Amino acid sequence: MFQSLVRSPCRAARVGAFRPTLVRAGLVFGLLLGLIGCEGRQLDGDSPGTSPEHTDEGAVRIAAFNVHRLFDTVCDSGSCGGSNYEALPTSNAFEAQVGKLATAIASLDADVVMLAEIETQAGLDALQARLPKLPHGVLGETGEPASVDVAVLSAHPITAVHGHRERVLVRPDGTTTRFSRELLEVHLDVDGAEVIVFAAHFRSKVNDDPGRRLAEAEATRDIVARVAAQSPRALVVMGGDLNDVPGSEPLVALERGGDLLRVASDRPDDQAWTYVYSGQRQAIDHLYLARGAGAYVAGSFRATREGSSGFGGSDHAAVHADFVPAR
């Protein structure tokens, strides 16, 4: 069973453990609690560029953000700049991008931030130098030239790190592949509570390989569910740029069996989108809570953006939500 799957901002109205068959009912209840305050007031919708205060004492705010091609000033591939894949910014351009991203990340007031599209440790170090409240960090480097990788920054100490990119994945047609980027598993000590996050970035739809994205989703579900089962007192959250929308095959595969809950399920669709493609708003950046210990604070999910599109110079919005670890 999900233990305390959804937690209301109203302390007296906490939803306790319930059977998986009641997950949808719990989500509806959580949505109602999230949309009305304890005195019946409707909460404000998303405010571009701003984030709400933590809504529950002891909550941990976890965010996911695709920063969009943070390349450093060294050409690793031998073909850089112009129409080449690897960008080669000047030192001034790199510093400007990092500064803008760091300001945006700081405004989320997150305790843990899962990042996508960081090329090298130099980029992560540059961000971290501007984010003193997030002193702990790790990059899921694949080792390939000009790779844009996932990373995790945290206000809390990192106790263990595991990678899963070498796992063999099977597409629906029987061919094999592997994760496009590292599926980065990071264990954290949050004031004595165990928190495990998985930073993901599934295959993009550029030169699409939908079978690979589906294989990534199926493997991610199995890995995250297994780790959650092995760590029954841990809060386990997976998130990132999954490059697909609710109802798509990969997201249906992630949610199959009820081991993973997409926390934005209790927010209106018009507030959960993170990316604009061909004029269409799409929710492709997600946060999932694994079955087990801990709770999602109902109604706390936000997609934070500036104006009508991205955030901090990225073409993606950042997403975040509040969770309460088991203690």
Side-chain angles (χ1 to χ4, degrees), residues 117-130:
E117 299 200 4
I118 307 287
E119 184 200 12
T120 62
Q121 188 67 42
L124 187 63
D125 289 345
L127 278 175
Q128 208 167 358
R130 293 162 175 79

Side-chain angles (χ1 to χ4, degrees), residues 1-5 15-19:
M1 294 189 301
F2 275 103
Q3 299 297 319
S4 303
L5 175 67
V15 179
F18 50 90
R19 295 184 177 87

Side-chain angles (χ1 to χ4, degrees), residues 202 217 220-221 238 242 249-256 260 288:
F202 290 175
T220 297
R221 178 197 63 220
M238 185 276 290
L242 306 187
E249 278 194 277
L251 267 61
V252 168
L254 276 173
E255 297 164 17
R256 188 174 297 126
L260 295 177
Y288 278 86

Side-chain angles (χ1 to χ4, degrees), residues 2 73 278:
F2 275 103
T73 58
S278 296

Side-chain angles (χ1 to χ4, degrees), residues 85 140-144 147-150 164-167 169 171 177-183 200-206 208-217 220 241-243:
Y85 176 75
E141 175 65 72
T142 64
E144 298 175 1
S147 61
V148 282
D149 301 308
V150 296
H164 299 277
R165 192 167 184 259
E166 296 309 313
R167 172 171 170 151
L169 312 182
R171 296 183 179 91
T177 185
R178 62 179 179 174
F179 284 105
S180 306
R181 293 93 176 176
E182 184 61 81
L183 178 65
H201 187 187
F202 290 175
R203 179 67 166 80
S204 77
K205 292 187 177 181
V206 177
D208 202 6
D209 185 351
R212 186 177 192 181
R213 194 164 48 256
L214 177 58
E216 289 178 310
T220 297
D241 176 5
L242 306 187
N243 274 308

Side-chain angles (χ1 to χ4, degrees), residues 50-105:
T50 63
S51 299
E53 296 292 330
H54 284 292
T55 53
D56 204 316
E57 184 178 353
V60 177
R61 177 164 294 174
I62 300 177
F65 183 31
N66 182 331
V67 303
H68 186 58
R69 292 170 54 82
L70 179 58
F71 285 96
D72 64 21
T73 58
V74 177
C75 182
D76 295 310
S77 65
S79 299
C80 301
S83 61
N84 293 300
Y85 176 75
E86 184 178 359
L88 188 62
T90 64
S91 294
N92 287 342
F94 174 73
E95 293 296 327
Q97 183 182 8
V98 168
K100 192 170 185 179
L101 288 169
T103 298
I105 292 168

